[in-house]
Amino acid sequence: MGKNNPNLILMTGDLGYSVLEKFQEQFPNQFINAGVAEQNMIGVASGMALAGKTVFVYSIANFPSLRCLEQIRNDLCYHNANVKIISIGAGFTYGSAGYTHHGIEDMAILRALPNIRVYTPADIRETKASLENAMLYSCPCYIRLDKGGSDVLHDGEIKSVERVLPIIENNSDISILTTGTITHFVYTILKEKKLAFSLYSVPVIKPMDIQGISSIVKKSKKIFTVEEHQLDGGFGSAILEKIHELFFKGEITKIPLVHRLGFRDFIPKLVGDQNHFRDLLSIEITLN
Amino acid sequence: MNKKDSIFIALKIRKLVLKMITESKSSHIGSSFSVIDILAVLYSDVLRISPATYRSVERDYFILSKGHGVAAMYATLAAYGFISEEELTTYCQNDSRLFGHVTANGVPGVELSTGSLGHGLPVASGIAKAFKLDKKSNRVFVLLSDGECDEGTTWESALFCAHHQLDNVNMIVDYNKLQGLGTVEEIMRLEPFSDKWKAFGWNVVEIDGHDHADIKTQLNKKNISNKPTIIIAHTVKGRGVGFMENKLQWHYASPNAEQFNLAQKELG
């Protein structure tokens, strides 16, 4: 991406050891380490975007999101600045690192802001498609990633990440909607337990594919949403909002039963890795 | 006096601001008055920008980081023909595009919407960094309040600008020594102020922020260092109207009819 676009700048808040060096070596004039100062970094990114650059900002979980929330709101969203925030460490990616490093409120907070697009890809193919998609829009984008190496869910290239993407689609009237890399965790449970439900990934939670949601709602008596995130205001909340909008507009005539799986006001007292925390959701038991 | 002289225009801006703030019953007349002389010199004698070139890629950038000084900003833009004087009557009224804190909103000459303090310098630094990368000679001016120097982001940016040798950054601090609830000395001491900036690697200049000749000379001085420049402008809050000068209440209060008449009389 750097090669084809000399106007593309990559900034980091002094994180990305062994990840960013290659870019830095290849494009030294397009790389800025802004130091451990995320609020200034977003402001600088905004200024560069206002002067014509496309700026990618890289950091971990809450550091490029909540730490600099007002900079995202005022400097980026208010000005519709062309800045793409890459946040590594979605959910409990850094589970054992403690609550400071748990990215479990960002979706709720970021999706409340105007002008921004929020991507939460589930695998490497969705990630690639999300980055390509973000480049199509001259606006702030928030791209919520795991730390890489996640299992591949999709067989081929993704045509449009803006659509709700089927992972398993069958005649079941029970559908599961997920976002982010927990999708693969759910997929594995369905396969192991031989549960014949449909499973869909929603890679862009703002703006959301309302037509895609509508089709799923029409064929489903029951919908589960799964997210590695706080429940209030999160992915499941967004789905509920969309379902009620569809019902209010008369585009659907029945509201399915929706059960949301996620974390509620959760500050762990004991250490866990990512899958340990995912296990706390008891997805298996709920789906059975 | 020459009608194009910044001193004459500053007086005109003061009168416009007095009217805007009185009619809209809004705040920050003192904060507006303290920066008017600086704004007038910037637009008369410093900035490469005009109503015809405000979108030009060659323009200098000006950001009013202290967004509450907005009345002075809009009145200045009207005085220099970026917007009409007539539009100023809509300030803070329903359906106007002129909000009570600096709002770009398509207003010609406004680069950045501000209002929350400590945002202007980081964004100005980004603009300046982009110009450096592109080897362009545009200059970036940003005007902060002294209270804004309480914000951590201002100091994050201070490090960034010095580290990246952004000698195209010109930061002016409206050092009127009064902030929200009292004097800077009482609330959050900045002194030794210039030493702090020197220690951060900045080129430090101190001026009388109401002396047009001094402002003009210093803002146009070629920066031969590779450092960003801070211009500490010693100013008087409420400058121009005797009973408002150095009075904390005029950070918030809006003049009543009697005070308006008194102020108008003094401005002549």
Side-chain angles (χ1 to χ4, degrees), chain A residues 104-125:
Chain A
I104 53 173
E105 296 97 4
D106 55 336
M107 286 197 285
I109 292 164
L110 271 294
R111 80 179 182 89
L113 298 178
N115 281 337
I116 199 165
R117 297 175 64 84
V118 181
Y119 298 79
T120 54
D123 74 348
I124 187 72
R125 291 214 161 98

Side-chain angles (χ1 to χ4, degrees), chain A residues 74-96:
Chain A
N74 291 4
D75 304 343
L76 302 188
C77 296
Y78 198 6
H79 297 85
N80 202 23
N82 194 12
V83 174
K84 320 299 183 192
I85 300 169
I86 310 291
S87 178
I88 303 292
F92 296 104
T93 304
Y94 296 108
S96 62

Side-chain angles (χ1 to χ4, degrees), chain B residues 185-246:
Chain B
E185 195 58 23
E186 288 165 347
I187 308 296
M188 189 69 82
R189 187 174 304 120
L190 293 173
E191 291 297 338
F193 197 39
S194 68
D195 289 347
K196 287 189 171 78
W197 290 94
K198 280 176 198 155
F200 272 70
W202 283 57
N203 175 36
V204 181
V205 176
E206 300 204 43
I207 61 170
D208 174 343
H210 302 300
D211 180 334
H212 286 232
D214 196 15
I215 303 168
K216 185 175 167 180
T217 307
Q218 296 301 338
L219 292 187
N220 279 319
K221 198 175 253 180
K222 198 165 164 50
N223 180 6
I224 50 164
S225 73
N226 54 7
K227 299 172 178 178
T229 298
I230 175 173
I231 299 106
I232 299 173
H234 294 276
T235 56
V236 174
K237 199 158 191 158
R239 171 75 176 209
V241 174
F243 68 86
M244 291 184 185
E245 290 187 357
N246 279 321

Side-chain angles (χ1 to χ4, degrees), chain A residues 2 17 45 51 78 81 98 115 122 139 141 147 153 157-158 196 209 227 288:
Chain A
Y17 185 72
Y78 198 6
N115 281 337
C139 71
C141 295
K147 63 180 172 188
L153 273 167
E157 294 288 313
I158 290 159
D209 172 17
E227 62 197 295
N288 256 321

